[in-house]
Amino acid sequence: MQNPKNIWIKHPLATLKPDYAGGLVVAGSRIIELVAAGRTPSQPVNEIFDASEHVLLPGLINAHHHFYQTLTRAHPVALNKALFPWLTSLYPVWAKLRPEMVEVSTQIALAELLLSGCSTASDHHYLFPQGLEDAIDIQVAQAQQLGVRVHLTRGSMSLGEEQGGLPPQSTVQSEDIIIADSERLIRRYHDHQPGAMVRVALAPCSPFSVSTELMKMSAQLATQHNVQLHTHLAETHDETAFCQKMFGMRPVDYLESVGWLSNRVWLAHGIHFNEEEIGRLGQAGVGIAHCPSSNMLLASGQCPTLDLEAAGCPVGIGVDGSASNDGSNMITEVRQALLLQRLRYGASDITHQKVLDWATRGSAACLGRDDIGDIAVGMQADLALFRLDDIQFAGAGDPLAALILCGAKQADCMMVAGRWRVRNGAVCGLDIEALKARQRELAAQLI
Ligand SMILES: [Zn+2]
């Protein structure tokens, strides 16, 4: 679909904030005007999108994911296990990944994310077995084709079983190869400019799968190129025990010892912190991607979101997965965050506005962005529009609350950087039935 000139997203049914109750005007890739309730745009428009039956949100931002895992959802070897046994069951399966599998699973994950209201997706890919050296290059091509904004992290594993790590030796790479490829990817794909559609970050997988040296080298390279850093941290008690045994310290102390306590860093999960550690993370401005479904499925625990936020940490939402979710649906993940966090903090502090704020502004802050995650003049035109005519909304009162409480699953329309990428509940230009059939075939080869 062509880039529209001036398009008025007119009179939305509901919005996250009142200042654009009359809608907004998009030109090129950006929002150029907010329209107050009952008003019309101050300048002529070429096209009008009647949003009177749509809830309008900033495009949701997924702060943590593993696209390739859509191939191993509900995999028989991984059922009913906690993180460490779950990982050791799946590593040998994932070691068989081939380029075509990365291509198709990336399309599946991105399409599923788009259809669930997500306009920016972060991915953490850390598997580069022989023949799959170009995994990130493949992901970039798929994201560009579907028009999803992406933050692709060059993941890594360097601490195999022989060095006391968790992953099998065949899935790890040497520090030198990892750093050289990280630098190649930053130079080739990372766009520093506002409005960037592709950014690259560096992401050693976890304390139990990479060497201390690699953590330090990654932090230095990230500073040198001004890119973000990402890893899994404080996900389970097993991990804390591993860090104490292997490094003689708790995960946050380890993070600090390798130069990672900075606002360049965002962490997946961030569950098992003590009060003093939360204070230090907040002081440094470390971001936290809360992944509620994964945390419940693997019985990992509950992220102390409000405490982290009060300390100064940006908090975002990630679907994680998709072998620990086992989906890539962003709007249902927002609902999961509301339900899980209410168990910890009560009903009045965890509102539907709060969890939507995490999934938009909070995730954007984790990714180091100030041009997405909100609806305001000058921001990128990343918009999610949801209809409320499915049966689960019948009789709903507050439309914005209904989106979360009644369990919306699919967006009707999605705009990314001013271009329509989903219309009438379908991804533009994608044969989704053919894609699903390819994914099923490839997944069967991994069972
Ligand atoms: Zn993860």
Side-chain angles (χ1 to χ4, degrees), residues 64-66 69 124 126 232 235 268-269 320-321 324:
H64 182 67
H65 203 354
H66 312 282
Q69 289 184 11
H124 188 174
Y126 50 82
H232 295 94
E235 184 175 357
H269 307 297
D320 199 9
S324 65

Side-chain angles (χ1 to χ4, degrees), residues 90-396:
L90 283 167
Y91 282 140
V93 178
W94 295 336
K96 294 183 208 148
L97 277 184
R98 302 193 317 271
E100 185 191 8
M101 293 173 170
V102 172
E103 179 193 318
V104 172
S105 59
T106 298
Q107 286 178 29
I108 283 281
L110 289 174
E112 196 180 350
L113 285 164
L114 260 182
L115 287 169
S116 66
C118 174
S119 53
T120 300
S122 161
D123 192 62
H124 188 174
H125 187 91
Y126 50 82
L127 287 158
F128 299 85
Q130 215 179 358
L132 198 58
E133 291 81 3
D134 293 343
I136 306 289
D137 305 72
I138 294 170
Q139 291 188 321
V140 171
Q142 302 317 313
Q144 288 174 334
Q145 201 172 341
L146 287 170
V148 184
R149 202 183 293 281
V150 284
H151 281 231
L152 299 174
T153 73
R154 204 297 182 185
S156 51
M157 298 201 291
S158 65
L159 197 69
E161 281 167 330
E162 288 169 19
Q163 293 94 29
L166 208 61
Q169 218 60 29
S170 67
T171 61
V172 305
Q173 291 179 300
S174 75
E175 283 84 0
D176 289 346
I177 287 177
I178 291 165
I179 292 298
D181 191 47
S182 300
E183 192 150 31
R184 175 186 75 83
L185 291 165
I186 294 169
R187 289 189 195 282
R188 175 126 194 229
Y189 297 116
H190 183 78
D191 180 358
H192 284 281
Q193 299 300 317
M197 291 298 290
V198 179
R199 284 199 179 158
V200 174
L202 305 183
C205 191
S206 63
F208 49 83
S209 58
V210 306
S211 65
T212 300
E213 199 47 35
L214 183 61
M215 290 295 283
K216 289 180 180 168
M217 290 163 87
S218 299
Q220 283 158 7
L221 190 65
T223 306
Q224 191 186 326
H225 289 278
N226 193 23
V227 299
Q228 301 280 112
L229 286 164
H230 182 54
T231 191
H232 295 94
L233 201 89
E235 184 175 357
T236 63
H237 290 300
D238 283 348
E239 179 195 322
T240 308
F242 179 94
C243 286
Q244 275 168 329
K245 189 170 165 223
M246 188 83 176
F247 312 115
M249 53 187 121
R250 288 172 54 82
V252 173
D253 297 323
Y254 180 62
L255 209 64
E256 184 160 28
S257 76
V258 290
W260 274 59
L261 224 51
S262 98
N263 62 2
R264 192 183 291 294
V265 174
W266 89 102
L267 305 172
H269 307 297
I271 296 169
H272 302 288
F273 299 131
N274 63 35
E275 211 174 303
E276 183 270 335
E277 289 165 343
I278 289 173
R280 267 194 287 157
L281 290 162
Q283 193 102 42
V286 173
I288 306 290
H290 174 39
C291 305
S293 293
S294 173
N295 297 161
M296 289 188 275
L297 196 120
L298 297 175
S300 304
Q302 292 175 10
C303 174
T305 51
L306 293 188
D307 296 82
L308 285 159
E309 215 170 35
C313 295
V315 171
I317 291 181
V319 299
D320 199 9
S322 289
S324 65
N325 181 316
D326 288 337
S328 310
N329 191 307
M330 195 58 200
I331 191 69
T332 61
E333 201 65 23
V334 178
R335 182 171 197 266
Q336 296 282 57
L338 177 130
L339 297 176
L340 180 61
Q341 291 296 321
R342 278 194 175 182
L343 287 181
R344 186 176 190 109
Y345 294 108
S348 59
D349 285 340
I350 303 294
T351 63
H352 57 278
Q353 293 96 334
K354 180 76 199 163
V355 287
L356 284 167
D357 184 61
W358 284 339
T360 52
R361 198 192 47 78
S363 287
C366 285
L367 299 181
R369 308 253 337 204
D370 58 9
D371 57 342
I372 55 173
D374 199 1
I375 289 178
V377 172
M379 299 290 278
Q380 287 290 299
D382 289 6
L383 307 172
L385 293 129
F386 291 84
R387 294 181 66 92
L388 301 181
D389 38 22
D390 283 344
I391 192 162
Q392 77 260 33
F393 302 110

